[in-house]
Amino acid sequence: MLPALDARRRPPSEIDLTLLWSGLLLLLLGMVMVYSASIAIAEAGKFTGNHPAYFLIRHAVFLAIGLIAGGLAFQAPLKTWQKIAPWLFVAGFILLALALIPGVGREINGARRWLPLGVVNLQPSELMKLFAVLYAADYTVRKMPHMLDLKKAFLPMAAAMVAVGVLLLKEPDFGAFVVIISIATGILFLGGMRARLFAILVIVLAIAFAILIVVSPYRRDRIFGFMDPWADAFGRGYQLSHALIAFGRGELFGVGLGASVEKLFYLPEAHTDFLLAVVAEELGFAGVVTIILLFGLLVQRAFAIGRQCVALDRVYPALVAQGVGIWIGVQGFINMGVNMGLLPTKGLTLPLMSFGGSGILANCVALAILLRVDWENRQLMRGAKP
């Protein structure tokens, strides 16, 4: 009886432990799977020094930097993030523009998406996703009295997103464009945009995306490759066909950690875009379901924290929390859909898990801001000043 009484009297946690542990587990699982998926390419690559742990070491360094940055971001109140949100958005726009300048930006595999910073490359589009969450939430709060007015509420944000979209499509990075548009429109809808206007917006965006696909030969090839990857398994359907083979080989519990065959130079980008396929092959259906559940739990907590903010009359933190949920949910869904053959191939990584310093940094900071929103909620409910 006494232990039960002590448990009931125990003060509530300062932070959302469910959110914290789901995020940390995804980060740790990602590090393990990045190592497993990258051993072969690291051993064979001259630029890696033939070191099997090359990508593991770099990923661990990125993760350490991301956690440190997250710790610092957690210290900043949401009021501070709201004040600097427009400036961060402008900075992100400038970085995107710099990446397109020959001699400044770095081109890899036909795409110019990176800024070389010595031993690492910065991918501005990853940071722009975070900046879009912070800016769209601030914009929506400022325009709250005019949310029913098309000209005052929607058109300025649309202009900003079009400007960002032009730069992203020049890189090209269609996947990041889809995610950022999803973030902006989702936050506007949650902020009070009329359902009818939102439905029209969705239709217009669908038509615009269809046009972008039709006028671009390489996007058309990806669509046709997605619809029937086996029709050209050694050409446009190569990545998807090998991803599907990996899923098929994994069955229920996988072939065992480290035992993937597809990662041995068959499946391109195994440690980045197609990490989930390696998870499916090595850990099977059980491993994939575990990751999906962890992502689902993280997104659910983000929206629950946002609803709690609304109850406390904290509109900006609410939109930031739910914006992070939209970002992680949409990008995770697209990456998983691509790996499973449900969506056309896109150059999007799996949040919190795939190799990539810019992505890990942005994800860790976003998770820290989400934890800060929850922490401030708890302080207010206790009657303390956050």
Side-chain angles (χ1 to χ4, degrees):
M1 294 296 293
L2 288 177
L5 288 173
D6 289 339
R8 285 198 298 269
R9 291 172 181 170
R10 189 177 301 155
S13 173
E14 286 286 324
I15 57 175
D16 190 325
L17 293 178
T18 302
L19 171 64
L20 176 64
W21 280 109
S22 60
L24 288 177
L25 284 173
L26 286 170
L27 289 170
L28 292 174
L29 279 170
M31 186 165 66
V32 171
M33 294 313 302
V34 163
Y35 181 41
S36 177
S38 64
I39 291 176
I41 188 174
E43 284 184 331
K46 292 182 179 179
F47 71 96
T48 65
N50 304 112
H51 197 298
Y54 175 84
F55 289 103
L56 171 65
I57 294 170
R58 288 177 68 88
H59 191 77
V61 171
F62 294 150
L63 186 54
I65 293 172
L67 291 174
I68 292 171
L72 294 174
F74 182 82
Q75 306 303 316
L78 264 295
K79 291 181 180 179
T80 301
W81 289 110
Q82 186 173 6
K83 288 178 181 178
I84 64 174
W87 300 106
L88 290 175
F89 187 79
V90 171
F93 186 86
I94 293 172
L95 291 175
L96 286 174
L98 288 174
L100 292 172
I101 300 175
V104 178
R106 183 177 181 183
E107 184 175 341
I108 301 176
N109 296 330
R112 193 179 293 275
R113 305 175 184 173
W114 296 269
L115 290 171
L117 301 177
V119 295
V120 297
N121 294 316
L122 176 68
Q123 189 171 358
S125 61
E126 292 294 338
L127 300 182
M128 195 62 181
K129 295 169 188 174
L130 173 61
F131 299 160
V133 170
L134 299 171
Y135 174 71
D138 172 59
Y139 176 88
T140 303
V141 170
R142 287 188 283 110
K143 297 291 184 177
M144 197 69 74
H146 310 289
M147 285 307 293
L148 300 180
D149 190 317
L150 176 65
K151 291 183 179 179
K152 293 182 178 179
F154 171 68
L155 291 183
M157 174 60 78
M161 291 300 107
V162 167
V164 170
V166 169
L167 296 179
L168 288 171
L169 293 175
K170 285 284 186 180
E171 292 184 354
D173 196 344
F174 188 69
F177 178 51
V178 171
V179 173
I180 289 173
I181 290 295
S182 299
I183 291 169
T185 55
I187 289 177
L188 283 173
F189 178 71
L190 293 170
M193 178 187 287
R194 286 184 297 180
R196 182 179 178 182
L197 178 59
F198 181 75
I200 295 172
L201 174 61
V202 170
I203 294 171
V204 170
L205 287 174
I207 294 172
F209 287 147
I211 293 172
L212 288 172
I213 291 168
V214 169
V215 300
S216 174
Y218 90 93
R219 292 194 187 104
R220 284 203 310 271
D221 287 344
R222 285 190 170 188
I223 290 292
F224 291 131
F226 147 73
M227 293 172 65
D228 186 6
W230 308 108
D232 188 11
F234 293 99
R236 61 193 180 195
Y238 183 81
Q239 283 180 306
L240 179 53
S241 61
H242 281 281
L244 294 175
I245 291 171
F247 271 86
R249 292 192 74 245
E251 297 184 349
L252 189 57
F253 295 108
V255 298
L257 185 62
S260 167
V261 172
E262 286 300 318
K263 70 184 181 184
L264 304 177
F265 306 103
Y266 294 104
L267 181 62
E269 311 297 339
H271 59 303
T272 55
D273 299 353
F274 284 89
L275 186 68
L276 189 68
V278 179
V279 173
E281 187 176 4
E282 296 189 349
L283 304 182
F285 178 76
V288 173
V289 168
T290 298
I291 288 174
I292 292 174
L293 289 175
L294 286 172
F295 272 108
L297 195 58
L298 193 152
V299 172
Q300 184 274 328
R301 293 312 306 153
F303 277 87
I305 290 169
R307 288 195 300 271
Q308 192 177 54
C309 286
V310 173
L312 294 170
D313 198 25
R314 305 181 68 222
V315 181
Y316 178 74
L319 293 175
V320 168
Q322 293 175 338
V324 171
I326 293 171
W327 168 18
I328 301 298
V330 169
Q331 184 167 334
F333 176 79
I334 293 175
N335 179 272
M336 293 176 189
V338 166
N339 276 254
M340 296 178 190
L342 302 175
L343 294 171
T345 303
K346 289 284 175 289
L348 279 176
T349 56
L350 189 59
L352 298 165
M353 294 190 67
S354 292
F355 178 81
S358 302
I360 290 293
L361 174 63
N363 294 160
C364 287
V365 172
L367 189 60
I369 293 174
L370 187 54
L371 286 167
R372 174 72 192 201
V373 173
D374 175 69
W375 182 83
E376 290 185 1
N377 285 349
R378 292 169 189 252
Q379 299 306 304
L380 286 172
M381 287 188 291
R382 291 176 179 178
K385 186 177 181 180

